[in-house]
Amino acid sequence: MIAETQIHVIARQMLQKHGLQAIAQAAQNAVACESKGEAEEARDWRHIEDAIKMMRGPLQG
């Protein structure tokens, strides 16, 4: 499990690199982990996805 502070660092980096596509990228990573049976890693990616959504702000859909 990734530490909360690291979740936000990764989310910020992904948002800077991918823009709003970062949400889709994190979701795809979660699905890939789930398909390989990597439940804990998938939870981390879902957490990162949620953090990105929070960072983008409420007015961006």
Side-chain angles (χ1 to χ4, degrees):
M1 188 153 118
I2 299 175
E4 186 69 25
T5 54
Q6 191 64 23
I7 292 284
H8 288 278
V9 168
I10 294 168
R12 191 173 303 108
Q13 289 172 344
M14 288 189 68
L15 193 54
Q16 288 173 347
K17 182 177 180 180
H18 300 287
L20 294 179
Q21 289 298 319
I23 297 167
Q25 184 64 49
Q28 288 173 353
N29 290 348
V31 169
C33 289
E34 289 165 351
S35 71
K36 292 186 258 179
E38 299 170 346
E40 188 172 318
E41 290 85 353
R43 276 192 299 273
D44 288 339
W45 280 112
R46 295 291 182 198
H47 198 165
I48 291 167
E49 178 185 0
D50 290 341
I52 295 168
K53 288 177 183 177
M54 287 176 36
M55 288 177 185
R56 73 178 178 174
L59 299 178
Q60 296 185 14

